[in-house]
Amino acid sequence: MSTPPRSSPLALTVLALLHFQPLHPYGIQRLIKQWGKDQVVNVGQRASLYRTIDRLLATGLVTVRETGRDQQYPERTVYELTDAGRSTMSVWLKEMLAAPKQEFPQFPAALSFVLMLAPEEALDVLEQRAATLAQTLEAHDKSLAEQTEVHGLPRVTTLEEEYLRAVTAAELDWIRAVTDDLSSGRLSWSVDELTGIAQSTGRQALTDQTSSEPQHDPR
């Protein structure tokens, strides 16, 4: 077997679903949606699922169990987990749970340059985000209630949605605090003043770079 591929949420999901039973790609995609895992795993394009399965197959973490033939459907390959896949899944799962990973979501990146907007512009867009987060929070509450009270699912099957709800609630609380400060004037800035600071530090960075460059002998 070649070196196993790097862990990813989608690869872990494929291995985990195959742990329960052999499946073809369509069945994997259907279970991801039925079990609500599409909230935490990006499987919007089926091609990405097939590429992931191909990598797992090439490295011996999954194997072909059978190729099904049915007049109503095209030929479907059914995959199953190997012993190596089961072992790798356990290692990946423990690592992902235990070690926070440095990620770079777009919202903090955008926040780092919110100073390029006027305070009233920042207030407007952050209020829009707060409204969306409030809707998302309501959707999480509804989904959690349905899964536990209607479908009778145990709590362990909804921990990822509990986490997403907690993160959403925390972000919403923080944004509401920021928008309150913007509305009251406790948080304010001048775009022109900050532009001047940025230009000044940019010139200093160029000066520092020039002075640190090695001097070449012109001969």
Side-chain angles (χ1 to χ4, degrees):
M1 184 183 71
S2 59
T3 303
R6 293 196 307 174
S7 61
S8 73
L10 182 53
L12 175 67
T13 300
V14 171
L15 295 181
L17 292 179
L18 291 180
H19 170 79
F20 295 107
Q21 60 181 319
L23 293 164
H24 49 69
Y26 176 76
I28 293 173
Q29 188 177 40
R30 184 179 59 190
L31 280 181
I32 287 175
K33 293 183 177 180
Q34 285 181 346
W35 291 10
K37 307 307 179 187
D38 53 339
Q39 295 188 74
V40 291
V41 178
N42 185 6
V43 69
Q45 294 183 346
R46 191 173 298 180
S48 61
L49 175 60
Y50 280 102
R51 286 195 297 269
T52 297
I53 292 175
D54 287 342
R55 287 197 295 270
L56 297 175
L57 181 64
T59 52
L61 302 186
V62 303
T63 188
V64 175
R65 175 163 182 164
E66 63 184 15
T67 300
R69 300 178 185 276
D70 191 302
Q71 293 181 352
Q72 295 181 346
Y73 300 100
E75 183 175 273
R76 288 180 174 176
T77 302
V78 176
Y79 298 90
E80 64 181 355
L81 198 61
T82 64
D83 289 340
R86 188 169 288 103
S87 175
T88 298
M89 177 193 66
S90 178
V91 171
W92 284 356
L93 180 58
K94 291 174 182 177
E95 287 178 348
M96 289 183 182
L97 288 171
K101 183 178 180 181
Q102 182 63 46
E103 298 175 327
F104 301 93
Q106 66 178 12
F107 181 56
L111 277 176
S112 70
F113 292 104
V114 71
L115 51 83
M116 300 180 68
L117 300 177
E120 58 271 17
E121 291 178 307
L123 174 60
D124 180 59
V125 295
L126 289 178
E127 285 180 336
Q128 292 179 43
R129 187 179 185 92
T132 300
L133 288 171
Q135 293 175 354
T136 302
L137 192 62
E138 183 178 346
H140 282 313
D141 287 336
K142 181 179 179 181
S143 176
L144 286 168
E146 287 179 350
Q147 292 181 67
T148 56
E149 298 172 11
V150 178
H151 302 296
L153 297 177
R155 183 186 174 194
V156 69
T157 66
T158 63
L159 287 180
E160 77 276 12
E161 184 149 17
E162 276 191 28
Y163 169 78
L164 292 175
R165 189 210 178 278
V167 171
T168 302
E171 182 181 336
L172 179 57
D173 287 344
W174 181 82
I175 288 182
R176 282 174 171 168
V178 172
T179 55
D180 285 345
D181 288 343
L182 284 167
S183 297
S184 66
R186 290 188 298 270
L187 175 60
S188 186
W189 61 87
S190 164
V191 175
D192 291 339
E193 180 183 0
L194 291 171
T195 299
I197 294 173
Q199 292 174 347
S200 176
T201 55
R203 286 193 296 268
Q204 184 61 48
L206 287 174
T207 301
D208 294 344
Q209 178 181 356
T210 302
S211 62
S212 64
E213 289 178 349
Q215 299 299 315
H216 297 288
D217 191 335
R219 290 178 295 176

